[in-house]
Amino acid sequence: MKAIEDIKLAPSILAADFTRLGEQVAEAERAGADRIHVDIMDGHFVPNISMGVPLVQSLRKVTNLRLEIHMMITDPDFFLDEFVEAGSDSFIVHWEGNNNLHRTVQRVKALRKQVGVAINPATPAFVLEEILPDLDQVLVMTVNPGFGHQPFIYTTLPKIKRVSRMIGQLKPGCELEVDGGIDEATAQLTVEAGANVLVAGSSIFGANVGVCAAMQRLRSSISSNGLILRDGQQFHLNKERLCS
């Protein structure tokens, strides 16, 4: 019998209206979001500065969803403890620029949190081979990290397929997440390539139809009947919620 998995949506608050952040996160939760994706940037690893520990503390007060911390920072090990204390549930660290990736991954696991590794568009899939058995998820960046509202890089699709095959061979059950330029035109392509978690910012929080309707629109772009067939496997979308 073939595996049945959920296609999960991870709204990225980088594109949210921060004057209404709690309200928009609550709406995403009601609409069936699987987790909230939080981009942490330090201005060194990427040329931008974004959120920190106080924001995660505030988010923890308004949602029960998993808070997924995408650490686009230099030396993430130095900041893990305070993000855990703030209420973080999982961490994604980058392969690029990490002096000892195995140590970082084991550090997160010792904190009893889920851990993933992200790779940038120009980083080949094979760098994951040694670390993949230790991971709960892999994140393939489909834009260069650091800014929202970027166009999808279509040349990452073959890499998503390669990572999907690696997961099947080395760590079945590991999530395959994509981040960057995910909208109604690109979501289906990433699912067909093997992704089962879609990070979306502008197409959810930047849409003029509201968060719930935007999430339903994104789901509809993946499948008109809620079922995707891929490589002989059935992949079901998380159940849609009615927008109030």
Side-chain angles (χ1 to χ4, degrees), residues 85-111:
E85 292 174 6
S88 305
D89 297 300
S90 62
F91 293 90
I92 301 170
V93 297
H94 273 259
W95 179 88
E96 301 84 6
N98 192 301
N99 293 325
N100 193 326
L101 184 60
H102 181 267
R103 181 175 59 198
T104 301
V105 167
Q106 295 306 316
R107 178 85 174 87
V108 176
K109 292 169 77 72
L111 291 167

Side-chain angles (χ1 to χ4, degrees), residues 116-152:
V117 167
I119 54 175
N120 287 341
T123 301
F126 70 77
V127 302
L128 297 167
E129 184 175 355
E130 299 299 330
I131 199 66
L132 184 53
D134 293 326
L135 302 181
D136 299 299
Q137 65 187 116
V138 171
L139 173 61
V140 175
M141 292 298 301
T142 46
V143 300
N144 286 299
F147 297 93
H149 311 288
Q150 295 187 69
F152 184 86

Side-chain angles (χ1 to χ4, degrees), residues 166-225:
M166 291 176 64
I167 288 174
Q169 295 168 358
L170 299 174
K171 187 65 181 293
C174 179
E175 292 182 331
L176 177 47
E177 190 169 34
V178 290
D179 180 6
I182 303 300
D183 57 22
E184 298 95 311
T186 59
Q188 175 71 29
L189 298 176
T190 64
V191 169
E192 290 173 350
N196 65 347
V197 182
L198 311 183
V199 177
S202 300
S203 61
I204 291 177
F205 293 114
N208 57 8
V209 295
V211 172
C212 182
M215 288 177 62
Q216 289 189 353
R217 190 165 64 181
L218 189 58
R219 290 189 182 99
S220 296
S221 73
I222 300 171
S223 173
S224 60
N225 60 9

